Amino acid sequence: MNQRITIDPITRLEGHGRIEIFLDDAGEVVSAYFQVPELRGFESFCVGRQAEEMPNITNRICGVCPEAHHIAAAKALDELFGTPCLPAAARIRELIYSAFFVTDHTTHFYCLGGPDFIVGPDAPKEERNILGVIRKVGLDAGKAVIACRARNHELIKKLGGRGVHLCGALPGGWSVAVTPEIADEARQIARQNIEFALFSLETFHRIVLGNAAYRDLVQGDLYAHQTYSMGTVDAHNAPNFYDGTIRVVDPAGNEFTRYRPQEYLDHIAEHVEPWTYVKFPYLKEIGWKGFVDGPASGVYQATPLARLNVADRMATPRAQAEFERFFDAFGCRGTGPGGRNSPVHHRLATHWARLIELLYAAERMQELADHPDLCDPKVRQAVSCRAGVGIGSVEAPRGTLTHHFTCDEHGILTSVNLVVGTTNNNAPIGMSIAKAAKGLIHKGVVSDGILNRVEMAFRLYDPCCSCATHAIGTAPLEVTVRRSDDGTILDRISRG
Amino acid sequence: MMVVIGLGSPFLTDDSVGPRVVRELAGEEHPGVRFVEAHAGGLLLLEELSGTRGAIIIDALLDENLPPGEVVVSGIQRASHNAACSHDCGLPEALDIGRAMGMPLPDDSDISLVAVVARDVTTFSEALTPEVEAAVQRACTAVRSILARKNAGSPAEAS
């Protein structure tokens, strides 16, 4: 008698998601799947519109990462209109984007991923949330989290023209220059962000790495996968969220390939499974070999951890120090090919990597805010329509985000393709869930704590599963154990 | 200051009713009222509510027991589907956090929900379904009525 366990909807991720776990007669896990009832048809909806509308349409795809879609679309328009972005406008875009990274990574650590460690993976579910974090870390920390989000959102509003769904992007530029007053404010916010990032890292070191049980969890095998890693790097192989070339390293740390975002179709293909709408991108040169690890499998990850794995260094000093500490902790520093770091394959380390990126984003904000030409008024330029193709790419917090537009001579879109951050990680998410489930569920015994540890396997990826936020009510979690032959419900656990 | 928040995506059929109502009302004279379009609940709404004395949230509601187009006015305990942001927390939890942090937030009783029962919130379209389109003015009237009642209780901002 086979059993089927369903976790639907998953807690603490953006959008809907469902985990299906199938047990054999002995109650052992046979397979597990991550399913997303994603909305479809967005690309078709965009065809026939004016291309310059895209930054303001795509930023409504998601309530969480509008900045990523806005900027990726703007970069696609730069190419589509044949107008490279003016330097001052590029600085504004990157400044906004860095502020966005600060807020997004802050939210994930304190609200989504952090509770598993700061409160504890086996703590009562009522406590595994941001309120539990505040109780553990202190009220002042909670105030710092709220203040961090608020000040960066306010800056994005001033620079981007609107708060939640910014509207400043133009082909080849930005709609409004930065005033000296806003530049001063940006500098002050950047300094505060750096202090906050350092505090967050100190908290992670003290509470997570300072706890032997948590350290073992992070460095153990349960959440480890040896896949390829992908991320955008600058000319010195440091991660860059706004611009650069895409670098892929193999599980041993060798550079496998490097390409311009415009060449993504030469390197990435998508596998389709009948049980989900979401596709599974893989490395075209290797091919799809199934949900398996290793250098012979085309599965790759594009996450904060992947971005550190593909990097040789960080571009800012404090982040560089933490980068070295990170690879030292896993015995990977300088042990890879040619003396570069070996990739870290322990996926729970993604939480630490995310905090290093938070620090980098804060430091990068400071660099941009201190730039002598930040207030340069030359942020707009005349553009004219032409038939062609535009591909824009950024590193979204959840992975490499690509917008691909084609338009006719009137600037009307004839095709649209979006590869969003979470889609890149669809295969590794499924693999991580399956491995955790197999390692944790035995003889059909399923507890709340076990299920949370299974959920931790996808939560580390910070998946954003829907083109629009549709979490109904209080997003309860229901686990249903079914007999697979006739669907009879054998047991049900609900929470939330 | 009061804040009126239209929740939803302008591109998902009836999910756009919140932003649509806000756009209708923003063109009118409403002293002391700030109009906002938003697409996610939780902590983001907390930031919009901070420093206000009251809020009205307009959103699409999925309820199989009510006909599409029905306008429901309630307190925030009748959680709006967008107000439950799974990326951080739901609105009631966000309010708890904000109050614990000492943020200046309105009482729960000063936060109203104007919900319009939706027929379709999954098809990409800028058009509302006919039932919800017909409900837009009724939703606007409900918001105006709440604003008038709140302003009657606060003469300093009523002028």
Side-chain angles (χ1 to χ4, degrees), chain A residues 13 49 60 112 130 153 471 473, chain B residues 39 47 81 84 86-87 126:
Chain A
L13 86 164
R49 291 173 173 274
R60 304 280 186 153
L112 306 174
I130 185 175
H153 285 152
Chain B
H39 192 178
E47 290 170 23
H81 73 263
S86 53
H87 197 69
E126 289 177 278

Side-chain angles (χ1 to χ4, degrees), chain A residues 21 39 45 52 57 125 142 173 269 318 339 382 393 433 450 458 469:
Chain A
I21 302 170
L39 301 172
F45 170 76
E52 62 264 36
I57 294 175
K125 62 180 174 57
R318 294 176 183 88
S393 170
I433 289 169
I450 285 175
F458 72 79
T469 310

Side-chain angles (χ1 to χ4, degrees), chain A residues 12-15 40 42 45 49 60 64 112 129-131 139 142-143 149 153 165 398 462 468-469 471 473, chain B residues 10-12 15 37 39-40 43-44 47 81-82 84 86-88 93 97 100-101 103 121-122 124-126:
Chain A
R12 280 184 279 148
L13 86 164
E14 174 53 30
R40 294 182 297 171
F42 185 78
F45 170 76
R49 291 173 173 274
R60 304 280 186 153
V64 174
L112 306 174
N129 51 40
I130 185 175
L131 281 170
L139 204 59
K143 289 180 180 175
R149 284 174 49 93
H153 285 152
H165 302 289
R398 293 150 196 86
D462 189 16
T469 310
Chain B
F11 306 123
L12 275 176
D15 198 45
E37 289 182 33
H39 192 178
L43 296 180
L44 205 57
E47 290 170 23
H81 73 263
N82 282 313
S86 53
H87 197 69
D88 43 59
E93 188 183 9
I97 292 166
M101 302 297 108
M103 291 175 71
V121 295
T122 59
F124 283 104
S125 167
E126 289 177 278

Side-chain angles (χ1 to χ4, degrees), chain A residues 180-192:
Chain A
E181 292 74 22
I182 294 177
D184 284 343
E185 194 176 330
R187 277 188 282 275
Q188 187 180 341
I189 289 172
R191 280 195 294 273
Q192 292 171 320

Side-chain angles (χ1 to χ4, degrees), chain A residues 116-403:
Chain A
D116 292 327
F117 295 100
I118 295 174
V119 184
D122 299 318
K125 62 180 174 57
E126 297 80 13
E127 296 175 16
R128 281 196 313 265
N129 51 40
I130 185 175
L131 281 170
V133 170
I134 291 167
R135 275 192 287 273
K136 190 83 177 275
V137 184
L139 204 59
D140 286 343
K143 289 180 180 175
V145 171
I146 301 293
C148 177
R149 284 174 49 93
R151 66 173 171 264
N152 285 287
H153 285 152
E154 189 60 28
L155 181 64
I156 291 169
K157 186 187 294 184
K158 287 178 180 171
L159 292 168
R162 195 162 54 193
V164 182
H165 302 289
L166 68 172
C167 55
L170 297 172
W174 198 255
S175 55
V176 185
V178 178
T179 64
E181 292 74 22
I182 294 177
D184 284 343
E185 194 176 330
R187 277 188 282 275
Q188 187 180 341
I189 289 172
R191 280 195 294 273
Q192 292 171 320
N193 288 346
I194 291 171
E195 290 305 312
F196 178 75
L198 291 170
F199 163 78
S200 300
L201 278 159
E202 190 277 327
T203 301
F204 186 83
H205 288 299
R206 180 167 47 85
I207 295 181
V208 180
L209 301 179
N211 180 316
Y214 292 171
R215 201 170 53 242
D216 290 348
L217 195 64
V218 173
Q219 298 186 331
D221 183 58
L222 186 64
Y223 298 97
H225 281 288
Q226 300 215 356
T227 68
Y228 287 76
S229 296
M230 173 188 286
T232 303
V233 293
D234 65 16
H236 305 289
N237 288 332
N240 190 294
F241 303 146
Y242 174 72
D243 204 20
T245 56
I246 293 172
R247 191 185 200 195
V248 180
V249 300
D250 70 16
N254 299 291
E255 181 177 291
F256 174 71
T257 188
R258 174 195 287 269
Y259 58 90
R260 296 172 60 244
Q262 289 76 9
E263 300 161 347
Y264 80 103
L265 288 176
D266 295 334
H267 298 273
I268 303 299
E270 293 181 313
H271 171 74
V272 176
E273 288 282 340
W275 42 267
T276 179
Y277 296 140
V278 181
K279 295 173 183 172
F280 297 88
Y282 61 92
L283 297 169
K284 207 172 183 176
E285 291 132 293
I286 297 178
W288 176 258
K289 307 290 171 56
F291 296 91
V292 289
D293 287 37
S297 168
V299 170
Y300 66 89
Q301 62 156 336
T303 64
L305 178 62
R307 289 191 283 256
L308 295 197
N309 283 340
V310 303
D312 292 344
R313 60 181 59 79
M314 301 298 288
T316 56
R318 294 176 183 88
Q320 171 65 23
E322 192 67 21
F323 177 79
E324 292 171 7
R325 191 177 184 182
F326 176 83
F327 283 98
D328 272 337
F330 289 92
C332 293
R333 189 174 167 208
T335 61
R340 72 180 304 274
N341 300 326
S342 298
V344 171
H345 293 299
H346 301 85
R347 295 292 157 93
L348 284 180
T350 307
H351 296 294
W352 188 356
R354 195 169 279 118
L355 292 180
I356 297 171
E357 289 197 333
L358 166 63
L359 178 56
Y360 163 67
E363 288 187 287
R364 183 65 183 141
M365 275 186 77
Q366 187 173 48
E367 289 180 349
L368 291 160
D370 285 340
H371 195 285
D373 296 330
L374 180 65
C375 299
D376 183 345
K378 298 190 194 75
V379 295
R380 293 189 299 271
Q381 58 183 313
V383 297
S384 55
C385 297
R386 62 174 192 177
V389 176
I391 298 175
S393 170
V394 293
E395 284 298 321
R398 293 150 196 86
T400 313
L401 168 65
T402 304
H403 283 205

Side-chain angles (χ1 to χ4, degrees), chain A residues 15-28:
Chain A
H16 263 139
R18 185 170 67 215
I19 292 175
E20 300 263 13
I21 302 170
F22 294 87
L23 307 185
D24 63 17
D25 290 348
E28 299 298 306

